[in-house]
PDB file of all heavy atoms in Angstrom:
ATOM      1  N   LYS D  28      65.154  90.190  98.663  1.00  0.00           N
ATOM      2  CA  LYS D  28      64.092  91.182  98.842  1.00  0.00           C
ATOM      3  C   LYS D  28      62.774  90.640  98.314  1.00  0.00           C
ATOM      4  O   LYS D  28      61.705  90.861  98.905  1.00  0.00           O
ATOM      5  CB  LYS D  28      64.451  92.485  98.117  1.00  0.00           C
ATOM      6  CG  LYS D  28      63.364  93.560  98.227  1.00  0.00           C
ATOM      7  CD  LYS D  28      63.051  93.895  99.676  1.00  0.00           C
ATOM      8  CE  LYS D  28      61.940  94.924  99.793  1.00  0.00           C
ATOM      9  NZ  LYS D  28      61.573  95.180 101.200  1.00  0.00           N
ATOM     10  N   ALA D  29      62.837  89.910  97.207  1.00  0.00           N
ATOM     11  CA  ALA D  29      61.618  89.376  96.593  1.00  0.00           C
ATOM     12  C   ALA D  29      60.893  88.410  97.531  1.00  0.00           C
ATOM     13  O   ALA D  29      59.658  88.329  97.513  1.00  0.00           O
ATOM     14  CB  ALA D  29      61.958  88.676  95.283  1.00  0.00           C
ATOM     15  N   ILE D  30      61.645  87.681  98.366  1.00  0.00           N
ATOM     16  CA  ILE D  30      61.009  86.738  99.292  1.00  0.00           C
ATOM     17  C   ILE D  30      60.810  87.349 100.675  1.00  0.00           C
ATOM     18  O   ILE D  30      60.426  86.657 101.621  1.00  0.00           O
ATOM     19  CB  ILE D  30      61.818  85.426  99.401  1.00  0.00           C
ATOM     20  CG1 ILE D  30      63.225  85.677  99.971  1.00  0.00           C
ATOM     21  CG2 ILE D  30      61.917  84.747  98.042  1.00  0.00           C
ATOM     22  CD1 ILE D  30      64.029  84.391 100.190  1.00  0.00           C
ATOM     23  N   GLY D  31      61.088  88.649 100.789  1.00  0.00           N
ATOM     24  CA  GLY D  31      60.766  89.368 102.025  1.00  0.00           C
ATOM     25  C   GLY D  31      61.806  89.331 103.118  1.00  0.00           C
ATOM     26  O   GLY D  31      61.495  89.618 104.281  1.00  0.00           O
ATOM     27  N   VAL D  32      63.069  89.007 102.793  1.00  0.00           N
ATOM     28  CA  VAL D  32      64.131  88.975 103.799  1.00  0.00           C
ATOM     29  C   VAL D  32      64.801  90.340 103.879  1.00  0.00           C
ATOM     30  O   VAL D  32      65.305  90.842 102.872  1.00  0.00           O
ATOM     31  CB  VAL D  32      65.180  87.898 103.461  1.00  0.00           C
ATOM     32  CG1 VAL D  32      66.315  87.932 104.487  1.00  0.00           C
ATOM     33  CG2 VAL D  32      64.530  86.529 103.425  1.00  0.00           C
ATOM     34  N   ASP D  33      64.817  90.936 105.086  1.00  0.00           N
ATOM     35  CA  ASP D  33      65.398  92.264 105.264  1.00  0.00           C
ATOM     36  C   ASP D  33      66.628  92.268 106.173  1.00  0.00           C
ATOM     37  O   ASP D  33      67.212  93.326 106.411  1.00  0.00           O
ATOM     38  CB  ASP D  33      64.354  93.228 105.849  1.00  0.00           C
ATOM     39  CG  ASP D  33      63.223  93.509 104.870  1.00  0.00           C
ATOM     40  OD1 ASP D  33      63.479  93.459 103.653  1.00  0.00           O
ATOM     41  OD2 ASP D  33      62.094  93.756 105.329  1.00  0.00           O
ATOM     42  N   SER D  34      66.979  91.130 106.711  1.00  0.00           N
ATOM     43  CA  SER D  34      68.121  91.051 107.620  1.00  0.00           C
ATOM     44  C   SER D  34      69.411  91.385 106.873  1.00  0.00           C
ATOM     45  O   SER D  34      69.730  90.773 105.844  1.00  0.00           O
ATOM     46  CB  SER D  34      68.232  89.642 108.202  1.00  0.00           C
ATOM     47  OG  SER D  34      69.458  89.466 108.884  1.00  0.00           O
ATOM     48  N   GLY D  35      70.146  92.380 107.396  1.00  0.00           N
ATOM     49  CA  GLY D  35      71.374  92.817 106.738  1.00  0.00           C
ATOM     50  C   GLY D  35      72.375  91.705 106.520  1.00  0.00           C
ATOM     51  O   GLY D  35      72.919  91.541 105.417  1.00  0.00           O
ATOM     52  N   TRP D  36      72.618  90.916 107.557  1.00  0.00           N
ATOM     53  CA  TRP D  36      73.591  89.834 107.450  1.00  0.00           C
ATOM     54  C   TRP D  36      73.142  88.774 106.456  1.00  0.00           C
ATOM     55  O   TRP D  36      73.928  88.285 105.648  1.00  0.00           O
ATOM     56  CB  TRP D  36      73.824  89.184 108.821  1.00  0.00           C
ATOM     57  CG  TRP D  36      74.970  89.773 109.555  1.00  0.00           C
ATOM     58  CD1 TRP D  36      74.931  90.547 110.674  1.00  0.00           C
ATOM     59  CD2 TRP D  36      76.350  89.650 109.211  1.00  0.00           C
ATOM     60  NE1 TRP D  36      76.198  90.926 111.046  1.00  0.00           N
ATOM     61  CE2 TRP D  36      77.090  90.389 110.175  1.00  0.00           C
ATOM     62  CE3 TRP D  36      77.040  89.014 108.180  1.00  0.00           C
ATOM     63  CZ2 TRP D  36      78.477  90.490 110.141  1.00  0.00           C
ATOM     64  CZ3 TRP D  36      78.439  89.121 108.139  1.00  0.00           C
ATOM     65  CH2 TRP D  36      79.130  89.844 109.105  1.00  0.00           C
ATOM     66  N   ALA D  37      71.856  88.436 106.502  1.00  0.00           N
ATOM     67  CA  ALA D  37      71.345  87.398 105.601  1.00  0.00           C
ATOM     68  C   ALA D  37      71.466  87.829 104.149  1.00  0.00           C
ATOM     69  O   ALA D  37      71.919  87.060 103.289  1.00  0.00           O
ATOM     70  CB  ALA D  37      69.886  87.087 105.949  1.00  0.00           C
ATOM     71  N   VAL D  38      71.069  89.069 103.858  1.00  0.00           N
ATOM     72  CA  VAL D  38      71.143  89.580 102.485  1.00  0.00           C
ATOM     73  C   VAL D  38      72.588  89.637 102.018  1.00  0.00           C
ATOM     74  O   VAL D  38      72.912  89.225 100.895  1.00  0.00           O
ATOM     75  CB  VAL D  38      70.495  90.975 102.380  1.00  0.00           C
ATOM     76  CG1 VAL D  38      70.698  91.551 100.974  1.00  0.00           C
ATOM     77  CG2 VAL D  38      69.012  90.903 102.699  1.00  0.00           C
ATOM     78  N   PHE D  39      73.473  90.140 102.874  1.00  0.00           N
ATOM     79  CA  PHE D  39      74.885  90.274 102.516  1.00  0.00           C
ATOM     80  C   PHE D  39      75.503  88.913 102.230  1.00  0.00           C
ATOM     81  O   PHE D  39      76.214  88.736 101.228  1.00  0.00           O
ATOM     82  CB  PHE D  39      75.644  90.970 103.644  1.00  0.00           C
ATOM     83  CG  PHE D  39      77.119  91.143 103.362  1.00  0.00           C
ATOM     84  CD1 PHE D  39      77.560  92.149 102.517  1.00  0.00           C
ATOM     85  CD2 PHE D  39      78.053  90.297 103.931  1.00  0.00           C
ATOM     86  CE1 PHE D  39      78.915  92.318 102.248  1.00  0.00           C
ATOM     87  CE2 PHE D  39      79.402  90.445 103.673  1.00  0.00           C
ATOM     88  CZ  PHE D  39      79.839  91.467 102.825  1.00  0.00           C
ATOM     89  N   LEU D  40      75.244  87.922 103.095  1.00  0.00           N
ATOM     90  CA  LEU D  40      75.844  86.598 102.931  1.00  0.00           C
ATOM     91  C   LEU D  40      75.318  85.887 101.679  1.00  0.00           C
ATOM     92  O   LEU D  40      76.083  85.255 100.944  1.00  0.00           O
ATOM     93  CB  LEU D  40      75.582  85.744 104.176  1.00  0.00           C
ATOM     94  CG  LEU D  40      76.336  86.165 105.443  1.00  0.00           C
ATOM     95  CD1 LEU D  40      75.916  85.310 106.634  1.00  0.00           C
ATOM     96  CD2 LEU D  40      77.846  86.064 105.230  1.00  0.00           C
ATOM     97  N   VAL D  41      74.009  85.990 101.426  1.00  0.00           N
ATOM     98  CA  VAL D  41      73.445  85.349 100.241  1.00  0.00           C
ATOM     99  C   VAL D  41      73.972  86.020  98.975  1.00  0.00           C
ATOM    100  O   VAL D  41      74.337  85.341  98.003  1.00  0.00           O
ATOM    101  CB  VAL D  41      71.903  85.394 100.272  1.00  0.00           C
ATOM    102  CG1 VAL D  41      71.321  84.971  98.919  1.00  0.00           C
ATOM    103  CG2 VAL D  41      71.374  84.487 101.369  1.00  0.00           C
ATOM    104  N   ALA D  42      74.004  87.363  98.979  1.00  0.00           N
ATOM    105  CA  ALA D  42      74.533  88.087  97.825  1.00  0.00           C
ATOM    106  C   ALA D  42      75.992  87.695  97.569  1.00  0.00           C
ATOM    107  O   ALA D  42      76.402  87.484  96.420  1.00  0.00           O
ATOM    108  CB  ALA D  42      74.422  89.591  98.045  1.00  0.00           C
ATOM    109  N   ALA D  43      76.776  87.593  98.642  1.00  0.00           N
ATOM    110  CA  ALA D  43      78.185  87.211  98.508  1.00  0.00           C
ATOM    111  C   ALA D  43      78.316  85.780  97.979  1.00  0.00           C
ATOM    112  O   ALA D  43      79.164  85.499  97.127  1.00  0.00           O
ATOM    113  CB  ALA D  43      78.890  87.336  99.854  1.00  0.00           C
ATOM    114  N   ALA D  44      77.457  84.880  98.474  1.00  0.00           N
ATOM    115  CA  ALA D  44      77.507  83.478  98.041  1.00  0.00           C
ATOM    116  C   ALA D  44      77.159  83.349  96.557  1.00  0.00           C
ATOM    117  O   ALA D  44      77.845  82.633  95.812  1.00  0.00           O
ATOM    118  CB  ALA D  44      76.538  82.639  98.878  1.00  0.00           C
ATOM    119  N   VAL D  45      76.112  84.048  96.121  1.00  0.00           N
ATOM    120  CA  VAL D  45      75.725  83.987  94.709  1.00  0.00           C
ATOM    121  C   VAL D  45      76.802  84.634  93.835  1.00  0.00           C
ATOM    122  O   VAL D  45      77.077  84.175  92.722  1.00  0.00           O
ATOM    123  CB  VAL D  45      74.364  84.667  94.473  1.00  0.00           C
ATOM    124  CG1 VAL D  45      73.977  84.600  92.998  1.00  0.00           C
ATOM    125  CG2 VAL D  45      73.284  84.004  95.317  1.00  0.00           C
ATOM    126  N   ALA D  46      77.430  85.698  94.348  1.00  0.00           N
ATOM    127  CA  ALA D  46      78.521  86.344  93.618  1.00  0.00           C
ATOM    128  C   ALA D  46      79.672  85.365  93.395  1.00  0.00           C
ATOM    129  O   ALA D  46      80.229  85.279  92.288  1.00  0.00           O
ATOM    130  CB  ALA D  46      79.016  87.571  94.381  1.00  0.00           C
ATOM    131  N   VAL D  47      80.020  84.614  94.419  1.00  0.00           N
ATOM    132  CA  VAL D  47      81.101  83.623  94.309  1.00  0.00           C
ATOM    133  C   VAL D  47      80.718  82.532  93.304  1.00  0.00           C
ATOM    134  O   VAL D  47      81.544  82.097  92.496  1.00  0.00           O
ATOM    135  CB  VAL D  47      81.413  82.999  95.683  1.00  0.00           C
ATOM    136  CG1 VAL D  47      82.368  81.816  95.528  1.00  0.00           C
ATOM    137  CG2 VAL D  47      82.018  84.044  96.611  1.00  0.00           C
ATOM    138  N   ILE D  48      79.459  82.103  93.339  1.00  0.00           N
ATOM    139  CA  ILE D  48      78.989  81.066  92.408  1.00  0.00           C
ATOM    140  C   ILE D  48      79.118  81.554  90.962  1.00  0.00           C
ATOM    141  O   ILE D  48      79.619  80.834  90.087  1.00  0.00           O
ATOM    142  CB  ILE D  48      77.529  80.682  92.719  1.00  0.00           C
ATOM    143  CG1 ILE D  48      77.454  79.941  94.056  1.00  0.00           C
ATOM    144  CG2 ILE D  48      76.953  79.818  91.590  1.00  0.00           C
ATOM    145  CD1 ILE D  48      76.042  79.684  94.535  1.00  0.00           C
ATOM    146  N   PHE D  49      78.659  82.782  90.708  1.00  0.00           N
ATOM    147  CA  PHE D  49      78.755  83.343  89.358  1.00  0.00           C
ATOM    148  C   PHE D  49      80.215  83.506  88.939  1.00  0.00           C
ATOM    149  O   PHE D  49      80.566  83.272  87.776  1.00  0.00           O
ATOM    150  CB  PHE D  49      78.038  84.692  89.289  1.00  0.00           C
ATOM    151  CG  PHE D  49      76.579  84.584  88.939  1.00  0.00           C
ATOM    152  CD1 PHE D  49      75.713  83.823  89.721  1.00  0.00           C
ATOM    153  CD2 PHE D  49      76.061  85.237  87.837  1.00  0.00           C
ATOM    154  CE1 PHE D  49      74.368  83.712  89.400  1.00  0.00           C
ATOM    155  CE2 PHE D  49      74.724  85.129  87.497  1.00  0.00           C
ATOM    156  CZ  PHE D  49      73.876  84.362  88.283  1.00  0.00           C
ATOM    157  N   PHE D  50      81.053  83.924  89.872  1.00  0.00           N
ATOM    158  CA  PHE D  50      82.492  84.080  89.619  1.00  0.00           C
ATOM    159  C   PHE D  50      83.087  82.744  89.179  1.00  0.00           C
ATOM    160  O   PHE D  50      83.813  82.668  88.176  1.00  0.00           O
ATOM    161  CB  PHE D  50      83.170  84.590  90.894  1.00  0.00           C
ATOM    162  CG  PHE D  50      84.628  84.890  90.748  1.00  0.00           C
ATOM    163  CD1 PHE D  50      85.068  86.197  90.559  1.00  0.00           C
ATOM    164  CD2 PHE D  50      85.577  83.879  90.831  1.00  0.00           C
ATOM    165  CE1 PHE D  50      86.425  86.487  90.437  1.00  0.00           C
ATOM    166  CE2 PHE D  50      86.933  84.157  90.710  1.00  0.00           C
ATOM    167  CZ  PHE D  50      87.357  85.463  90.511  1.00  0.00           C
ATOM    168  N   MET D  51      82.778  81.685  89.927  1.00  0.00           N
ATOM    169  CA  MET D  51      83.335  80.362  89.634  1.00  0.00           C
ATOM    170  C   MET D  51      82.775  79.786  88.335  1.00  0.00           C
ATOM    171  O   MET D  51      83.500  79.135  87.576  1.00  0.00           O
ATOM    172  CB  MET D  51      83.043  79.416  90.807  1.00  0.00           C
ATOM    173  CG  MET D  51      83.696  79.828  92.113  1.00  0.00           C
ATOM    174  SD  MET D  51      85.494  80.093  91.958  1.00  0.00           S
ATOM    175  CE  MET D  51      86.037  78.437  91.548  1.00  0.00           C
ATOM    176  N   ILE D  52      81.481  80.034  88.062  1.00  0.00           N
ATOM    177  CA  ILE D  52      80.896  79.548  86.814  1.00  0.00           C
ATOM    178  C   ILE D  52      81.568  80.218  85.616  1.00  0.00           C
ATOM    179  O   ILE D  52      81.903  79.566  84.617  1.00  0.00           O
ATOM    180  CB  ILE D  52      79.371  79.824  86.784  1.00  0.00           C
ATOM    181  CG1 ILE D  52      78.648  78.918  87.784  1.00  0.00           C
ATOM    182  CG2 ILE D  52      78.814  79.614  85.372  1.00  0.00           C
ATOM    183  CD1 ILE D  52      77.175  79.197  87.908  1.00  0.00           C
ATOM    184  N   ALA D  53      81.765  81.544  85.721  1.00  0.00           N
ATOM    185  CA  ALA D  53      82.422  82.276  84.635  1.00  0.00           C
ATOM    186  C   ALA D  53      83.845  81.761  84.419  1.00  0.00           C
ATOM    187  O   ALA D  53      84.303  81.627  83.280  1.00  0.00           O
ATOM    188  CB  ALA D  53      82.444  83.770  84.958  1.00  0.00           C
ATOM    189  N   LEU D  54      84.534  81.461  85.510  1.00  0.00           N
ATOM    190  CA  LEU D  54      85.906  80.950  85.416  1.00  0.00           C
ATOM    191  C   LEU D  54      85.922  79.561  84.784  1.00  0.00           C
ATOM    192  O   LEU D  54      86.771  79.261  83.932  1.00  0.00           O
ATOM    193  CB  LEU D  54      86.539  80.903  86.802  1.00  0.00           C
ATOM    194  CG  LEU D  54      87.997  80.442  86.886  1.00  0.00           C
ATOM    195  CD1 LEU D  54      88.904  81.392  86.106  1.00  0.00           C
ATOM    196  CD2 LEU D  54      88.447  80.361  88.345  1.00  0.00           C
ATOM    197  N   ALA D  55      84.958  78.721  85.175  1.00  0.00           N
ATOM    198  CA  ALA D  55      84.915  77.348  84.672  1.00  0.00           C
ATOM    199  C   ALA D  55      84.507  77.296  83.201  1.00  0.00           C
ATOM    200  O   ALA D  55      85.031  76.479  82.442  1.00  0.00           O
ATOM    201  CB  ALA D  55      83.947  76.518  85.510  1.00  0.00           C
ATOM    202  N   LEU D  56      83.598  78.168  82.794  1.00  0.00           N
ATOM    203  CA  LEU D  56      83.130  78.147  81.405  1.00  0.00           C
ATOM    204  C   LEU D  56      84.213  78.579  80.419  1.00  0.00           C
ATOM    205  O   LEU D  56      84.232  78.146  79.271  1.00  0.00           O
ATOM    206  CB  LEU D  56      81.910  79.059  81.244  1.00  0.00           C
ATOM    207  CG  LEU D  56      80.612  78.555  81.872  1.00  0.00           C
ATOM    208  CD1 LEU D  56      79.503  79.585  81.703  1.00  0.00           C
ATOM    209  CD2 LEU D  56      80.192  77.220  81.245  1.00  0.00           C
ATOM    210  N   ALA D  57      85.103  79.467  80.885  1.00  0.00           N
ATOM    211  CA  ALA D  57      86.210  79.935  80.044  1.00  0.00           C
ATOM    212  C   ALA D  57      85.721  80.500  78.716  1.00  0.00           C
ATOM    213  O   ALA D  57      86.274  80.215  77.654  1.00  0.00           O
ATOM    214  CB  ALA D  57      87.219  78.810  79.807  1.00  0.00           C
ATOM    215  N   LEU D  58      84.651  81.269  78.747  1.00  0.00           N
ATOM    216  CA  LEU D  58      84.113  81.943  77.560  1.00  0.00           C
ATOM    217  C   LEU D  58      84.093  83.449  77.845  1.00  0.00           C
ATOM    218  O   LEU D  58      83.021  84.040  78.049  1.00  0.00           O
ATOM    219  CB  LEU D  58      82.705  81.440  77.248  1.00  0.00           C
ATOM    220  CG  LEU D  58      82.583  79.962  76.861  1.00  0.00           C
ATOM    221  CD1 LEU D  58      81.127  79.553  76.790  1.00  0.00           C
ATOM    222  CD2 LEU D  58      83.282  79.714  75.529  1.00  0.00           C
ATOM    223  N   PRO D  59      85.258  84.066  77.885  1.00  0.00           N
ATOM    224  CA  PRO D  59      85.357  85.454  78.341  1.00  0.00           C
ATOM    225  C   PRO D  59      84.496  86.453  77.583  1.00  0.00           C
ATOM    226  O   PRO D  59      83.952  87.377  78.170  1.00  0.00           O
ATOM    227  CB  PRO D  59      86.847  85.776  78.181  1.00  0.00           C
ATOM    228  CG  PRO D  59      87.366  84.771  77.200  1.00  0.00           C
ATOM    229  CD  PRO D  59      86.568  83.540  77.464  1.00  0.00           C
ATOM    230  N   VAL D  60      84.358  86.260  76.261  1.00  0.00           N
ATOM    231  CA  VAL D  60      83.603  87.248  75.497  1.00  0.00           C
ATOM    232  C   VAL D  60      82.132  87.249  75.921  1.00  0.00           C
ATOM    233  O   VAL D  60      81.497  88.308  76.014  1.00  0.00           O
ATOM    234  CB  VAL D  60      83.739  86.994  73.983  1.00  0.00           C
ATOM    235  CG1 VAL D  60      83.043  85.712  73.579  1.00  0.00           C
ATOM    236  CG2 VAL D  60      83.159  88.170  73.194  1.00  0.00           C
ATOM    237  N   TYR D  61      81.585  86.078  76.219  1.00  0.00           N
ATOM    238  CA  TYR D  61      80.192  86.010  76.653  1.00  0.00           C
ATOM    239  C   TYR D  61      80.038  86.490  78.100  1.00  0.00           C
ATOM    240  O   TYR D  61      79.000  87.054  78.465  1.00  0.00           O
ATOM    241  CB  TYR D  61      79.660  84.587  76.491  1.00  0.00           C
ATOM    242  CG  TYR D  61      79.520  84.191  75.033  1.00  0.00           C
ATOM    243  CD1 TYR D  61      80.468  83.402  74.403  1.00  0.00           C
ATOM    244  CD2 TYR D  61      78.436  84.646  74.279  1.00  0.00           C
ATOM    245  CE1 TYR D  61      80.355  83.061  73.063  1.00  0.00           C
ATOM    246  CE2 TYR D  61      78.306  84.317  72.934  1.00  0.00           C
ATOM    247  CZ  TYR D  61      79.271  83.525  72.340  1.00  0.00           C
ATOM    248  OH  TYR D  61      79.148  83.208  71.008  1.00  0.00           O
ATOM    249  N   VAL D  62      81.057  86.242  78.912  1.00  0.00           N
ATOM    250  CA  VAL D  62      81.057  86.771  80.274  1.00  0.00           C
ATOM    251  C   VAL D  62      80.990  88.294  80.232  1.00  0.00           C
ATOM    252  O   VAL D  62      80.225  88.933  80.956  1.00  0.00           O
ATOM    253  CB  VAL D  62      82.330  86.318  81.037  1.00  0.00           C
ATOM    254  CG1 VAL D  62      82.449  87.066  82.369  1.00  0.00           C
ATOM    255  CG2 VAL D  62      82.295  84.821  81.284  1.00  0.00           C
ATOM    256  N   VAL D  63      81.794  88.877  79.342  1.00  0.00           N
ATOM    257  CA  VAL D  63      81.818  90.328  79.179  1.00  0.00           C
ATOM    258  C   VAL D  63      80.458  90.847  78.721  1.00  0.00           C
ATOM    259  O   VAL D  63      79.910  91.795  79.290  1.00  0.00           O
ATOM    260  CB  VAL D  63      82.909  90.747  78.163  1.00  0.00           C
ATOM    261  CG1 VAL D  63      82.777  92.228  77.826  1.00  0.00           C
ATOM    262  CG2 VAL D  63      84.292  90.445  78.718  1.00  0.00           C
ATOM    263  N   ILE D  64      79.894  90.224  77.701  1.00  0.00           N
ATOM    264  CA  ILE D  64      78.633  90.683  77.121  1.00  0.00           C
ATOM    265  C   ILE D  64      77.495  90.645  78.138  1.00  0.00           C
ATOM    266  O   ILE D  64      76.787  91.634  78.355  1.00  0.00           O
ATOM    267  CB  ILE D  64      78.264  89.826  75.892  1.00  0.00           C
ATOM    268  CG1 ILE D  64      79.187  90.168  74.719  1.00  0.00           C
ATOM    269  CG2 ILE D  64      76.809  90.045  75.495  1.00  0.00           C
ATOM    270  CD1 ILE D  64      78.989  89.269  73.518  1.00  0.00           C
ATOM    271  N   VAL D  65      77.298  89.493  78.758  1.00  0.00           N
ATOM    272  CA  VAL D  65      76.170  89.321  79.680  1.00  0.00           C
ATOM    273  C   VAL D  65      76.295  90.238  80.890  1.00  0.00           C
ATOM    274  O   VAL D  65      75.326  90.901  81.292  1.00  0.00           O
ATOM    275  CB  VAL D  65      76.063  87.847  80.138  1.00  0.00           C
ATOM    276  CG1 VAL D  65      75.011  87.718  81.242  1.00  0.00           C
ATOM    277  CG2 VAL D  65      75.706  86.952  78.964  1.00  0.00           C
ATOM    278  N   ASN D  66      77.483  90.319  81.442  1.00  0.00           N
ATOM    279  CA  ASN D  66      77.628  91.065  82.691  1.00  0.00           C
ATOM    280  C   ASN D  66      77.690  92.568  82.499  1.00  0.00           C
ATOM    281  O   ASN D  66      77.223  93.316  83.361  1.00  0.00           O
ATOM    282  CB  ASN D  66      78.847  90.546  83.456  1.00  0.00           C
ATOM    283  CG  ASN D  66      78.634  89.137  83.952  1.00  0.00           C
ATOM    284  OD1 ASN D  66      77.807  88.898  84.818  1.00  0.00           O
ATOM    285  ND2 ASN D  66      79.351  88.183  83.384  1.00  0.00           N
TER     286      ASN D  66
END
């Protein structure tokens, strides 16, 4: 939204991709207490 993209598919796919990235980073870091706190 900040860069002006309003396409439903584009927003959904980017949001899903970033969600997966954050999911994998949290899994790789293996620091559950900080994952809990930040999120």
Side-chain angles (χ1 to χ4, degrees):
K28 178 58 182 176
I30 62 176
V32 177
D33 293 331
S34 169
W36 267 110
V38 175
F39 180 78
L40 290 176
V41 169
V45 180
V47 171
I48 291 172
F49 271 58
F50 184 99
M51 297 307 295
I52 290 175
L54 182 62
L56 288 177
L58 296 171
V60 68
Y61 291 100
V62 170
V63 171
I64 287 174
V65 172
N66 292 293

